Amino acid sequence: MTQPLSEKDVRAIAQYVRIGLPEEEIGQLTIDLNNIIESLEPITAYNLNGVEPTYHPIDGLSNVMREDTEGTSFTQEEALANAAKHQDGSFVVPAILGGGDAS
């Protein structure tokens, strides 16, 4: 049997999906991927002409999320009550990108 994937193919796939693949693993990964592809070969024996694709295993599902409804919320004072620091109605947090100091 000829191998469907070469080591060159595996390198290209790794680069495409941005996986850092050490050179010493390429050979074994090529073998593993080709074994996986070979194990799926029996599927090609089925005649699937006219079979509609299945997009979801549970038919008829639509939006399963609840409606977005407005409810009660905290007042500004309640929200800021436990803040370590606040100023002019806003939380004060340390700068993470530099250029500012929240001390």
Side-chain angles (χ1 to χ4, degrees), residues 18-64:
R18 302 189 188 289
I19 295 174
L21 193 58
E23 190 64 32
E24 58 271 8
E25 292 183 18
I26 290 178
Q28 185 60 49
L29 186 58
T30 303
I31 292 168
D32 292 344
L33 289 173
N34 282 313
N35 286 339
I36 292 168
I37 292 170
E38 186 178 339
S39 73
L40 297 174
E41 195 171 323
I43 293 173
T44 63
Y46 294 103
N47 179 4
L48 300 176
N49 292 335
V51 176
E52 291 294 318
T54 303
Y55 295 104
H56 199 285
I58 303 173
D59 192 29
L61 265 186
S62 59
N63 187 0
V64 294

Side-chain angles (χ1 to χ4, degrees), residues 62-72:
S62 59
N63 187 0
V64 294
M65 305 294 281
R66 65 171 173 78
E67 289 295 318
D68 189 14
T69 58
E70 186 176 330
T72 58

